[in-house]
């Protein structure tokens, strides 16, 4: 997962009074705002100007590839500049999150099938396994009020899963598959992500936002898991 967790403080922080507005962007809206999204990522990554440009370019390259995935969704959190109308042209990006449903009918995303137990992988067949592959927020979101519902990272990831759950239920209702819709409503959607094994900062941040580690079935050799490049985490029911 792409999560910016720099060691220095960012200029913005989460607050229940600031009321960041979260909304989805369509693919053409994403294209129109690529420069802003790249700037947001670089601003929250830290580092000098050379690292700023490098990080920005890599982020935009990854994002351009993931936008092409079926079911891709991206949410932005916007905050109005003080003294301007809410939702006006002076709204600035405070964060973003994106992901896509994991497909069971093709190559698994980043070898995901080697990290998850069979019962979790089985959710992909019904569309109830959703990969959150990017979560970009300022550093204070990581270090302040991580366990509260209004923490911006928690709001973004919760909304991604809720929107996907609602979409599944709507499609099921549209085809008359009431039993599928009921199943989605009861069980919801499980979020999943992969974190580089040596990225302790991102791992701590995700756990503080409610993610929990998961391991494959016991049949997977322990040595394979020990030397795997990533760790798997899940979020949700």
């Amino acid at each position: 997962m792409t999560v910016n967790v720099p060691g220095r403080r960012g200029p913005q922080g989460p607050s229940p009074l600031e009321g960041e507005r979260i909304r989805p962007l369509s693919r053409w809206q994403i294209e129109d705002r690529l420069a802003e999204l790249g700037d947001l990522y670089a601003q929250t990554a830290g580092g000098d100007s050379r690292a700023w440009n490098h990080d920005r370019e890599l982020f935009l390259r990854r994002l351009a590839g993931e936008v092409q995935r079926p079911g891709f969704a991206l949410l932005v959190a916007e905050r109005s500049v003080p003294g301007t109308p809410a939702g006006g042209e002076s709204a600035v990006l405070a964060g973003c999150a994106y992901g896509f449903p994991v497909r069971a009918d093709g190559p698994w995303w980043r070898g995901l099938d080697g990290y998850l137990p069979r019962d979790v992988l089985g959710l992909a067949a019904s569309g109830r396994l959703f990969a959150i592959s990017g979560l970009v927020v300022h550093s204070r979101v990581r270090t302040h009020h991580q366990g509260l519902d209004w923490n911006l990272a928690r709001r973004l990831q919760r909304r991604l899963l809720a929107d996907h759950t609602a979409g599944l239920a709507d499609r099921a209702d549209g085809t008359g598959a009431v039993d599928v819709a009921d199943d989605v409503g009861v069980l919801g959607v499980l979020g999943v992500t992969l974190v580089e094994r040596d990225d302790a900062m991102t791992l701590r941040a995700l756990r503080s936002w409610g993610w929990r580690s998961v391991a494959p079935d016991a049949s997977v050799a322990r040595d394979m898991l020990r030397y795997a490049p990533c760790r798997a985490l899940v979020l949700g029911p």
Side-chain angles (χ1 to χ4, degrees), residues 4-228:
N4 277 5
V5 286
R8 65 178 180 85
R9 289 188 177 184
Q12 298 170 319
S15 167
L17 302 178
E18 289 177 318
E20 297 95 346
R21 184 169 67 106
I22 293 176
R23 66 185 183 93
L25 295 186
S26 66
R27 290 194 179 189
W28 66 265
Q29 288 174 324
I30 293 172
E31 291 181 5
D32 286 345
R33 302 189 68 175
L34 278 178
E36 290 178 75
L37 292 167
D39 290 347
L40 172 70
Y41 183 86
Q43 290 164 6
T44 59
D48 58 24
S49 58
R50 184 168 59 180
W52 195 94
N53 290 325
H54 180 260
D55 291 342
R56 185 180 187 277
E57 181 180 348
L58 288 179
F59 167 75
L60 290 176
R61 191 180 305 164
R62 288 193 300 267
L63 182 59
E66 300 212 341
V67 165
Q68 306 305 317
R69 293 181 178 274
F72 178 86
L74 184 145
L75 300 174
V76 293
E78 297 173 320
R79 181 186 298 114
S80 295
V81 174
T84 63
E89 293 182 354
S90 296
V92 296
L93 290 183
C96 72
Y98 54 89
F100 47 87
V102 176
R103 301 182 65 180
D105 58 352
W108 290 96
W109 173 62
R110 298 182 62 186
L112 192 63
D113 54 327
Y115 293 95
L116 299 178
R118 284 189 295 272
D119 59 337
V120 173
L121 287 171
L123 298 175
S126 58
R128 292 195 290 115
L129 191 61
F130 191 89
I132 298 182
S133 55
L135 182 55
V136 181
V137 291
H138 287 274
S139 60
R140 282 180 59 86
V141 179
R142 174 178 59 87
T143 59
H144 290 66
H145 311 293
Q146 306 97 311
L148 298 182
D149 285 344
W150 51 261
N151 178 279
L152 184 55
R154 283 181 172 263
R155 290 176 60 202
L156 284 165
Q157 62 194 24
R158 185 169 62 240
R159 172 71 180 274
L160 266 180
L161 298 184
D163 284 359
H164 183 63
T165 300
L168 288 177
D170 288 345
R171 286 194 293 274
D173 286 341
T175 60
V178 178
D179 56 333
V180 176
D182 289 344
D183 182 54
V184 170
V186 173
L187 299 179
V189 171
L190 190 68
V192 63
T193 196
L194 294 175
V195 179
E196 300 295 328
R197 183 164 292 276
D198 59 354
D199 191 349
M201 292 181 66
T202 294
L203 187 62
R204 284 197 299 270
L206 290 173
R207 284 176 173 166
S208 73
W209 296 328
W211 291 81
R212 59 189 186 275
S213 297
V214 66
D217 296 315
S219 59
V220 176
R222 290 187 178 182
D223 286 343
M224 291 179 59
L225 190 60
R226 184 183 308 161
Y227 297 111

